[in-house]
Amino acid sequence: MINEIKALIDKEIRLELRQKYAINGMLLYIVSTVYVCYLSFRLKTNHIDKITWNTLFWIIILFTAVNAIAKSFTQERYGRLLYYYTLANPVGIIVSKIIYNSILMLVLSLVGFGVYALVMGNPVGDVGLYLIALILGAIGFASTLTMIAGIASKAENSATLMAVLSFPVIIPMLLMLIKISKNALDGLDRGESLDEVMILLAIDAIVLVLSVILFPFLWRS
């Protein structure tokens, strides 16, 4: 199983490198969105409060995640999926996609944070805690949206269906992330954010377990 997952992750990386416009498009999306925020807020007022700074950042990361992960299954042609069906275990397929999308989201989130802090200023009091929230958010978004992308790919207008299905799971996760990052902005003691961190870890674990349990039934369909 481990070798199978490694091979599938390697396949995902090769496909991404072959289609360089995809990841370049995501990077361009992040940079252009940050620049629009700069034009809308900081350039005009030369000041942006911490709450607005934090909220804008997580909105950018959320929409980046949706755009980056929506293609997880829709880019796979029917013939290729049938070929995977004859070779790979469905658990290996979903785990490999979750791992790959988590790595992709970590890269995009860290790049996004660097560009955002450079352009919009960096008011974060505890950068370490903020990065912890960023890592948990990237993994959580990747896990949730990957599974939902698999479900939505079975229907028409999958992008719209994915947005609708992900809403109930993403919103609680986003609220926890905003609270942790707000504590990091204010430089509060990390113990104040322990409950939220544990909740995020629990959500990530639940999504991963449900993906492993439910995806084989979806794969057979």
Side-chain angles (χ1 to χ4, degrees):
M1 176 67 73
I2 295 177
N3 290 333
E4 184 177 288
I5 292 173
K6 288 180 179 179
L8 289 168
I9 293 174
D10 182 64
K11 181 267 298 182
E12 295 286 346
I13 294 174
R14 289 176 182 271
L15 286 177
E16 196 70 53
L17 293 177
R18 188 178 299 173
Q19 305 173 17
K20 293 182 180 179
Y21 63 86
I23 191 167
N24 290 339
M26 287 297 99
L27 292 174
L28 179 61
Y29 174 83
I30 292 175
V31 174
S32 59
T33 306
V34 171
Y35 184 65
V36 169
C37 292
Y38 170 75
L39 293 178
S40 302
F41 291 90
R42 193 168 180 84
L43 184 62
K44 291 184 178 181
T45 63
N46 199 31
H47 175 73
I48 180 172
D49 61 81
K50 291 183 178 181
I51 296 178
T52 306
W53 187 95
N54 192 39
T55 304
L56 279 175
F57 175 73
W58 284 111
I59 290 174
I60 292 172
I61 295 300
L62 175 60
F63 280 96
T64 300
V66 172
N67 289 325
I69 299 174
K71 60 182 177 60
S72 293
F73 289 92
T74 56
Q75 71 175 357
E76 306 279 11
R77 296 181 179 178
Y78 178 77
R80 185 186 293 171
L81 289 176
L82 187 60
Y83 179 63
Y84 294 160
Y85 186 86
T86 62
L87 292 179
N89 187 297
V91 173
I93 290 176
I94 190 63
V95 171
S96 65
K97 284 188 176 292
I98 288 175
I99 292 174
Y100 171 75
N101 286 330
S102 296
I103 295 171
L104 178 63
M105 274 309 303
L106 283 171
V107 172
L108 293 176
S109 298
L110 292 173
V111 171
F113 178 72
V115 174
Y116 191 74
L118 180 65
V119 174
M120 302 292 288
N122 184 13
V124 179
D126 188 344
V127 176
L129 180 59
Y130 205 94
L131 290 177
I132 290 173
L134 197 61
I135 292 170
L136 291 175
I139 295 173
F141 289 158
S143 303
T144 303
L145 294 175
T146 299
M147 182 58 191
I148 293 174
I151 298 172
S153 65
K154 299 296 182 180
E156 296 181 0
N157 201 2
S158 58
T160 303
L161 182 60
M162 179 179 170
V164 173
L165 292 176
S166 62
F167 186 80
V169 182
I170 291 296
I171 292 303
M173 189 181 298
L174 194 59
L175 291 175
M176 294 295 104
L177 289 169
I178 290 176
K179 187 169 183 180
I180 295 172
S181 52
K182 178 62 170 60
N183 291 343
L185 282 168
D186 295 335
L188 299 180
D189 185 83
R190 294 187 181 185
E192 297 289 333
S193 306
L194 184 59
D195 290 343
E196 288 76 17
V197 171
M198 297 304 295
I199 291 172
L200 281 175
L201 287 172
I203 292 175
D204 291 350
I206 290 170
V207 170
L208 181 60
V209 171
L210 287 177
S211 299
V212 170
I213 294 174
L214 298 178
F215 185 75
F217 298 97
L218 178 68
W219 186 243
R220 294 190 193 102
S221 67

